[in-house]
Amino acid sequence: MNSVEGLLTQIRGLSSTASDVLSLQNVLKQADESLHAESTRLLPFLDQLDPSKHSLGYLYFLEACTAGPVTTESASSFVLIIARFISSCVAEQIRLAPDKFISVCKRFKDQVLLLEEPLRGVAPMLTAVRKLQSSTEHLTTLHPEFLLLCLLAKCYKTGLSILEEDIFEVDQPRDLYLYCYYGGMICIGQKCFRKALELLHNVVTAPMSTINAIAVEAYKKYILVSLIHHGQLSTSLPKYASGVAQRNLKSLCLSYMELANSYNNGKIADLETYVQANMEKFGSDNNLGLVKQVVSSIYKRNIQRLTQTYLTLSLQDIANTVQLNSPKEAEMHVLQMIQDGEIYATINQKDGMVRFVEDPELYKTCEMIEHIDLSIQRLMTLSNKLTVMDELISCDPLYLGKAGRERQRFDFDDFDSVPQRFNI
Amino acid sequence: MDGEDDAPKSLMEEMYANGIEGVDDAPSSSTSTTILKNRPIISGEQLDIEAYAALYSGRTKIVRLIFLADHCDNSGMQLEALRMAYDELKKGENTQLFREVVQKIDGRLGPNYSMDATWCAMVDRKADQRKDKLESELNAYRTNLIKESIRMGYNDFGDFYYAHGALGDAFKSYVRTRDYCTTSKHIIQMCLSAILVSIEMGQFAHVTSYVSKAEQTPEALDPPTIAKLRCAAGLAHLEAKKYKLAARKFLEVGPELGNSYSEVIAPQDVATYGGLCALASFDRTELKNKVIDNINFRNFLELVPEVRELINDFYSSHYASCLEYLGNLKSNLMLDIHIHDHVETLYDQIRSKALIQYTHPFVSVDMRMMADAFKTSVAGLEKELESLITDNQIQARIDSHNKILYARHADQRNATFQRVLQTGNEFDWDVRAMLLRANLLKHEYNLRASRKI
């Protein structure tokens, strides 16, 4: 107990300036084991520390307290304590011990899930993420935890706000896979299929040395979203996808590939029979909702094809071509598509005719010019970023070493820029 | 374009005259009776088998007659063809085909046309004797190592096998003469024999390679040989479904061909195949330059006036009569061994071209008038146009309510803006993904490197 008391005094004393905090960190690291040994009795000591001033010390104590298994009685009290800590802690201090912070937050998530109130965890986790990130482009281990809570609590909009930011730095590949997978699911829930496709594409084409289950599940969803959004699926993964993925993914998602094939054939009856036959399979992957959306999207695809060929068409003809049951159904479909902005048309109910018009966008308005201008700016920044990164890597000694070693295998011209001393 | 002799001038006058009159003009005004050198064989009327068979000689005559018998419905024509095949076979030495023909006749032509076993046995015996003789001669030549004799020995073997229907052995023998050829003439002889056997066997890949071999000889070839080689090349392309190349080859065949290649092809066939392939695959300028204004080819077209008429009708936009001629010719074309499985494709292509050409100059087209011009119903026409539009061969849209086809010219400005924005988005996506992946790779690499260190 004395050591704990002593530790407490040190914490209170050394938490004011940055250099003090650093020395405090060393002290805490040495005392870590003893703290863990006393984990069950540390709870009352927490009241003596102020989370906003003594964040680092509080963190160590808290981590030791929550290191044990989670139980329902302790869960509710801990949830309150951790939530308060997260909202009031100081970002710079906790960044000194990121893994401790992460483990505390993970415990928090487990407790919230145990209490079956994921909604309570969403806001604190969001604050935690913001405090842990060194910049908005940085992906932490907490990001996927946060998205998981959003998914379970069904508050997709909060999740979307995090997803808006571009990620360029990643700590652990596994974080990225989970983040993109959950992010994809959130976007699907919000019907932003384009963003979902982007995120799932990142998982599927990420460099990986062995196939993992996240990539497989992500690929299944990717196939379905690709069919809904684009109406087609590119049969091969791009060149930059890892070799492991290219070889194995398709064979692991066979029924989905079959679905894509029968979608491409365009016969709605075949598609529906196939879906019926494989209901349990899709259900066991929790993809039944998406599959149903795929089936309804085939009607849309066919109607869109008609806009390319016809100027006016009767509702009866539309119903026949797209294999709907009656002109009324055709009218409803077309109406829905007009409202969603997927086609431009007018319905003449008197004659039972639909008149397709061209996209009325004339690209002459100020908003459009502004939009184009902003896009150009954004792309230029991105391009600069790419150049900077390229330069950085070219100067990286590890890379140069590897390039120098590989010199014999390639043309002399390719590696002319690599200085001689790297020719190992 | 500058052909100033009388025959083309009258044709040209006709074309201008037809342009003034309405779209669906009766075909009567365009069939001028030019003096025909030979009777039209491939025509709309029922095939005259004797005249047809007279165009060919050798093995191809028999094969064509058998094909005719297999594929025509008229039993009178069938028996006629089989009878002629029987007579022709009796003059030759191919007992295999003889047995086949006898089986097909099945006694329907009376006792004179039944199985003549004695004749077969005699022919086979003679064949064995001849074969032994040839073999011993060849062995003698080979021991003596006289190149010319060895070459002739293999050649005789090739001829022998060909006469007896053993095509594979014939081909092998002909090819063996290659090592003993000394002059270009020998090489050409070998190539022509190899080509003949390959065509009979249906292996057109060999045909192409031997044609190019023959054309590569340093000596200049005489015109009939050039014509023969071009015909063979054309046939090979036709089989390979490369209609444009086939058309070009057939159109280059000179009038020196005459009847010198009757073991393979008749001049009427050159005209028919060349004309149809050209119509299906050439665009308008090429059609005019290479077919209509081609003086050499005109001689061939005279032999098949219906093909000539239909080409002219197509060029002058008389689609109804053009399609009518095509319809009439179809039954006879289906009886031809080389073109029968290409007829459907060629016809579809010609019809599509006609539809596209019809709509090309107009901003809007009344589909009812167009259906009349093509002698089809409006609904059928709508379906055809729909598939052409989906394939992007016609730039137009259908107003199904009023049954009008409107030409649609893409708005370049809008299309450019759309493409620009789309490219921007794609670039954005690609670069961001790339940066992310680079980061992951660097991370993994650092991890590996740090583990090593």
Side-chain angles (χ1 to χ4, degrees):
Chain A
M1 275 313 171
N2 285 335
S3 53
V4 178
E5 291 284 338
L7 209 48
L8 280 174
T9 354
Q10 278 194 310
I11 291 172
R12 275 190 289 256
L14 291 172
S15 293
S16 29
T17 65
S19 48
D20 284 346
V21 172
L22 281 173
S23 42
L24 176 61
Q25 191 184 16
N26 291 332
V27 171
L28 284 170
K29 275 193 202 158
Q30 285 157 1
D32 199 29
E33 276 188 43
S34 54
L35 274 178
H36 272 272
E38 315 243 341
S39 61
T40 42
R41 284 171 289 177
L42 286 177
L43 194 53
F45 289 102
L46 279 177
D47 300 327
Q48 298 183 25
L49 290 173
D50 180 5
S52 50
K53 283 194 258 179
H54 313 127
S55 305
L56 192 57
Y58 199 97
L59 178 59
Y60 269 81
F61 268 77
L62 198 55
E63 200 265 332
C65 287
T66 53
V70 178
T71 56
T72 352
E73 320 87 48
S74 56
S76 32
S77 55
F78 269 124
V79 160
L80 282 170
I81 297 175
I82 300 180
R84 226 177 293 135
F85 169 62
I86 293 178
S87 53
S88 52
C89 69
V90 174
E92 293 82 19
Q93 291 199 17
I94 52 163
R95 282 197 203 133
L96 292 170
D99 35 342
K100 297 258 178 234
F101 188 64
I102 288 173
S103 64
V104 165
C105 292
K106 279 202 175 146
R107 274 277 174 269
F108 175 63
K109 177 201 93 183
D110 293 335
Q111 287 160 355
V112 159
L113 287 180
L114 194 62
L115 292 174
E116 293 184 6
E117 294 171 1
L119 196 52
R120 281 176 73 178
V122 171
M125 197 58 101
L126 182 57
T127 338
V129 164
R130 289 265 176 260
K131 289 198 175 161
L132 190 56
Q133 291 187 304
S134 46
S135 73
T136 52
E137 295 171 359
H138 182 215
L139 184 78
T140 63
T141 322
L142 291 181
H143 277 83
E145 310 290 335
F146 168 66
L147 287 181
L148 179 61
L149 282 177
C150 285
L151 270 174
L152 291 170
K154 299 211 193 312
C155 47
Y156 298 133
K157 288 227 171 66
T158 345
L160 265 187
S161 62
I162 279 275
L163 287 169
E164 293 293 327
E165 299 157 1
D166 299 330
I167 299 290
F168 293 121
E169 279 176 58
V170 175
D171 282 337
Q172 281 283 342
R174 188 166 170 278
D175 296 338
L176 179 71
Y177 304 151
L178 277 177
Y179 172 78
C180 287
Y181 180 63
Y182 291 142
M185 285 170 72
I186 289 184
C187 290
I188 292 173
Q190 287 291 101
K191 300 233 190 296
C192 302
F193 290 118
R194 204 185 57 79
K195 184 115 186 118
L197 210 55
E198 192 181 321
L199 286 165
L200 291 169
H201 185 82
N202 277 341
V203 186
V204 167
T205 55
M208 52 179 99
S209 43
T210 53
I211 199 83
N212 54 51
I214 308 174
V216 174
E217 293 302 313
Y219 191 61
K220 290 180 184 166
K221 292 205 163 51
Y222 177 75
I223 295 176
L224 294 173
V225 175
S226 176
L227 286 177
I228 295 176
H229 188 66
H230 283 146
Q232 60 189 16
L233 175 70
S234 59
T235 41
S236 58
L237 290 171
K239 272 194 302 184
Y240 47 77
S242 65
V244 185
Q246 279 178 355
R247 283 192 294 270
N248 297 329
L249 272 181
K250 280 201 206 147
S251 43
L252 291 166
C253 307
L254 271 178
S255 46
Y256 291 82
M257 299 297 292
E258 279 298 317
L259 186 70
N261 279 340
S262 90
Y263 185 98
N264 278 332
N265 291 337
K267 297 208 186 52
I268 300 182
D270 291 345
L271 188 67
E272 286 187 343
T273 32
Y274 184 78
V275 169
Q276 281 300 116
N278 288 322
M279 273 287 208
E280 334 83 53
K281 193 133 197 301
F282 293 141
S284 65
D285 291 332
N286 287 330
N287 283 332
L288 210 48
L290 265 182
V291 171
K292 293 207 175 107
Q293 287 191 37
V294 168
V295 173
S296 66
S297 80
I298 201 175
Y299 292 111
K300 291 193 195 160
R301 203 60 56 200
N302 288 346
I303 295 181
Q304 267 178 338
R305 247 202 294 268
L306 286 174
T307 63
Q308 293 303 311
T309 332
Y310 286 94
L311 212 45
T312 63
L313 194 58
S314 70
L315 285 167
Q316 182 64 45
D317 282 334
I318 295 182
N320 291 341
T321 329
V322 183
Q323 293 161 39
L324 288 167
N325 291 333
S326 71
K328 270 275 160 247
E329 261 191 56
E331 189 177 336
M332 275 180 13
H333 268 97
V334 172
L335 192 60
Q336 188 62 42
M337 286 176 78
I338 298 176
Q339 280 179 336
D340 290 338
E342 289 164 4
I343 58 172
Y344 303 99
T346 51
I347 305 181
N348 183 337
Q349 281 190 327
K350 189 173 73 138
D351 298 332
M353 281 280 165
V354 177
R355 183 178 194 84
F356 299 116
V357 295
E358 295 278 351
D359 181 358
E361 175 63 63
L362 285 176
Y363 299 99
K364 284 186 194 162
T365 59
C366 287
E367 291 88 16
M368 181 51 72
I369 308 259
E370 221 180 289
H371 174 67
I372 297 180
D373 197 40
L374 283 174
S375 306
I376 296 178
Q377 305 276 10
R378 198 181 69 233
L379 290 177
M380 289 197 325
T381 3
L382 208 55
S383 199
N384 283 338
K385 209 183 183 77
L386 190 61
T387 329
V388 162
M389 187 171 210
D390 188 37
E391 281 173 10
L392 268 176
I393 292 190
S394 320
C395 306
D396 187 334
L398 283 172
Y399 166 74
L400 286 173
K402 182 158 200 242
R405 273 196 298 274
E406 307 268 318
R407 193 193 209 108
Q408 297 86 288
R409 283 213 271 152
F410 298 105
D411 274 335
F412 187 67
D413 299 327
D414 284 348
F415 290 101
D416 213 14
S417 47
V418 175
Q420 274 299 118
R421 73 181 168 104
F422 285 105
N423 195 2
I424 301 169
Chain B
M1 217 92 78
D2 289 321
E4 292 304 316
D5 36 41
D6 288 329
K9 203 190 250 178
S10 64
L11 265 173
M12 273 204 251
E13 278 171 342
E14 281 168 353
M15 279 198 269
Y16 292 145
N18 287 337
I20 297 173
E21 293 161 71
V23 166
D24 39 71
D25 200 19
S28 55
S29 62
S30 52
T31 45
S32 60
T33 46
T34 44
I35 302 163
L36 306 166
K37 296 195 190 72
N38 301 337
R39 267 170 59 218
I41 309 292
I42 307 278
S43 68
E45 303 117 28
Q46 198 172 51
L47 195 61
D48 182 347
I49 302 191
E50 273 197 49
Y52 179 70
L55 292 171
Y56 305 100
S57 64
R59 191 170 187 277
T60 189
K61 183 172 178 175
I62 303 168
V63 171
R64 280 170 191 260
L65 286 169
I66 296 180
F67 186 84
L68 246 172
D70 285 338
H71 284 84
C72 78
D73 315 319
N74 188 335
S75 70
M77 277 176 69
Q78 239 180 4
L79 290 174
E80 175 77 9
L82 287 170
R83 190 183 60 80
M84 294 188 64
Y86 187 97
D87 291 333
E88 194 64 30
L89 277 165
K90 264 289 179 65
K91 296 183 213 154
E93 294 165 355
N94 194 339
T95 52
Q96 174 89 25
L97 273 181
F98 181 78
R99 278 183 248 271
E100 252 185 67
V101 169
V102 167
Q103 222 177 6
K104 286 191 209 268
I105 292 180
D106 213 14
R108 288 178 287 176
L109 285 171
N112 283 345
Y113 290 96
S114 60
M115 184 64 199
D116 195 346
T118 41
W119 179 86
C120 279
M122 178 194 69
V123 165
D124 285 337
R125 229 177 331 127
K126 269 210 282 187
D128 287 332
Q129 285 173 348
R130 176 140 175 83
K131 184 166 173 200
D132 291 332
K133 181 159 161 270
L134 283 174
E135 257 189 67
S136 57
E137 276 180 11
L138 188 62
N139 284 333
Y141 295 147
R142 270 210 285 235
T143 40
N144 290 340
L145 284 180
I146 312 168
K147 257 195 167 180
E148 180 57 25
S149 330
I150 302 178
R151 188 190 71 85
M152 278 182 37
Y154 273 120
N155 234 343
D156 292 338
F157 245 115
D159 294 336
F160 168 78
Y161 279 130
Y162 183 68
H164 284 268
L167 294 174
D169 294 324
F171 186 72
K172 276 189 236 161
S173 306
Y174 284 130
V175 169
R176 283 220 190 93
T177 65
R178 183 168 161 200
D179 301 325
Y180 306 99
C181 290
T182 43
T183 68
S184 320
K185 233 166 136 213
H186 296 162
I187 298 181
I188 292 173
Q189 186 187 13
M190 173 212 66
C191 288
L192 282 175
S193 320
I195 290 172
L196 179 63
V197 180
S198 307
I199 294 180
E200 287 296 316
M201 284 201 290
Q203 288 177 1
F204 288 90
H206 289 292
V207 173
T208 333
S209 60
Y210 281 100
V211 163
S212 41
K213 213 176 298 224
E215 282 174 350
Q216 275 162 13
T217 54
E219 250 178 50
L221 302 164
D222 57 333
T225 320
I226 301 183
K228 285 187 202 176
L229 291 172
R230 292 222 178 103
C231 286
L235 273 178
H237 285 308
L238 180 64
E239 284 302 314
K241 298 196 200 295
K242 301 202 177 102
Y243 301 123
K244 197 159 191 164
L245 294 171
R248 289 206 183 123
K249 284 286 172 195
F250 282 125
L251 291 169
E252 285 168 7
V253 172
E256 313 84 22
L257 179 70
N259 287 321
S260 58
Y261 214 21
S262 56
E263 307 102 44
V264 174
I265 197 173
Q268 280 87 344
D269 291 336
V270 173
T272 320
Y273 299 165
L276 286 179
C277 290
L279 204 54
S281 56
F282 284 179
D283 60 10
R284 210 173 150 77
T285 22
E286 224 180 336
L287 192 69
K288 175 118 178 73
N289 292 339
K290 293 213 175 133
V291 182
I292 299 180
D293 291 343
N294 186 341
I295 306 182
N296 282 338
F297 198 66
R298 190 164 302 144
N299 297 332
F300 286 107
L301 279 179
E302 297 300 316
L303 304 169
V304 278
E306 291 207 7
V307 176
R308 184 195 64 203
E309 288 313 314
L310 78 89
I311 294 179
N312 285 334
D313 278 340
F314 185 91
Y315 189 75
S316 56
S317 305
H318 291 119
Y319 301 110
S321 69
C322 172
L323 291 172
E324 200 182 310
Y325 276 121
L326 275 179
N328 290 341
L329 282 177
K330 188 168 183 179
S331 48
N332 283 342
L333 286 176
M334 293 300 272
L335 298 173
D336 179 285
I337 48 171
H338 291 297
I339 205 170
H340 72 281
D341 40 2
H342 303 281
V343 169
E344 287 296 343
T345 332
L346 285 171
Y347 272 40
D348 283 338
Q349 283 187 5
I350 295 177
R351 195 183 167 83
S352 310
K353 271 194 142 38
L355 287 168
I356 297 169
Q357 199 175 275
Y358 186 97
T359 58
H360 192 68
F362 298 110
V363 168
S364 65
V365 175
D366 184 351
M367 281 166 63
R368 289 179 206 100
M369 278 183 60
M370 189 170 172
D372 281 338
F374 281 87
K375 296 271 191 313
T376 169
S377 67
V378 178
L381 182 68
E382 195 171 320
K383 282 270 163 289
E384 284 186 81
L385 285 175
E386 186 184 330
S387 58
L388 283 174
I389 294 175
T390 326
D391 286 340
N392 220 11
Q393 305 222 32
I394 302 184
Q395 262 73 23
R397 303 264 285 281
I398 303 178
D399 181 345
S400 182
H401 186 54
N402 302 322
K403 301 290 178 215
I404 299 185
L405 184 76
Y406 287 100
R408 177 236 227 148
H409 300 290
D411 185 345
Q412 292 285 27
R413 184 174 174 280
N414 277 5
T416 314
F417 269 103
Q418 272 173 355
R419 244 196 352 259
V420 161
L421 285 173
Q422 195 188 347
T423 316
N425 282 338
E426 281 171 21
F427 179 79
D428 188 50
W429 181 353
D430 279 340
V431 171
R432 273 190 289 127
M434 210 193 305
L435 286 170
L436 188 59
R437 274 197 304 279
N439 193 287
L440 277 173
L441 281 172
K442 188 169 80 163
H443 183 270
E444 188 185 317
Y445 193 72
N446 286 341
L447 206 63
R448 255 191 271 157
S450 60
R451 258 189 250 144
K452 271 191 236 165
I453 299 167

